[in-house]
Amino acid sequence: METGRPHRQHWIGRVASALVVAALLMDASVQFFVPELAASMLRDAGFTPAIAPVLGAIMAACALLYAIPATAFLGAILATGFLGGAICAHVRLGEIGSPPELISLLLGLLAWGGLCLRDRRLRALLPIRQ
């Protein structure tokens, strides 16, 4: 067994998790501070642009919960639900495989992959041999 492997896994998990937090916080900041950037996409998806601050607050809350180790599982669950809703909105519009949909899917995978690499308790629950 390599002694550096768990340490390397942990850091890879941290980097993946940091990417998720950064992406969610960047999108939340756009919703809060430059909602006109997201307005056309929201309209195209059938949402009113006035909902942008609410979406920003949800994304920021998910990111913050995910970033705190004690609440990371809850944050991952909530972020996955939010990202799943984004994917569902694009499927409803017939935009299967669109960039926003793929980014949402990638962020969901990164969230759980990063958490799995960071936390041995989650790895113990998964039927993946190490």
Side-chain angles (χ1 to χ4, degrees):
M1 180 174 174
E2 297 175 6
T3 56
R5 183 170 179 235
H7 182 68
R8 194 172 351 157
Q9 274 185 334
H10 186 77
W11 277 101
I12 292 170
R14 281 186 175 186
V15 169
S17 295
L19 289 172
V20 172
V21 170
L24 289 173
L25 288 177
M26 284 190 303
D27 198 2
S29 65
V30 168
Q31 302 294 331
F32 283 130
F33 303 115
V34 208
E36 57 274 3
L37 279 177
S40 67
M41 286 181 27
L42 287 170
R43 266 191 233 95
D44 291 345
F47 298 104
T48 176
I51 200 167
V54 174
L55 295 176
I58 292 169
M59 283 186 262
C62 289
L64 293 175
L65 286 170
Y66 182 69
I68 300 168
T71 59
F73 287 114
L74 176 61
I77 291 167
L78 294 175
T80 304
F82 182 81
L83 295 167
I87 291 170
C88 182
H90 289 282
V91 168
R92 183 180 62 83
L93 295 171
E95 298 176 351
I96 297 173
S98 67
E101 187 179 49
L102 295 176
I103 290 169
S104 296
L105 179 62
L106 178 64
L107 285 175
L109 291 171
L110 275 175
W112 284 103
L115 190 57
C116 185
L117 290 173
R118 286 189 302 153
D119 195 317
R120 77 175 91 108
R121 295 172 301 167
L122 182 57
R123 284 193 306 272
L125 292 173
L126 297 175
I128 299 171
R129 296 185 69 157
Q130 297 183 27

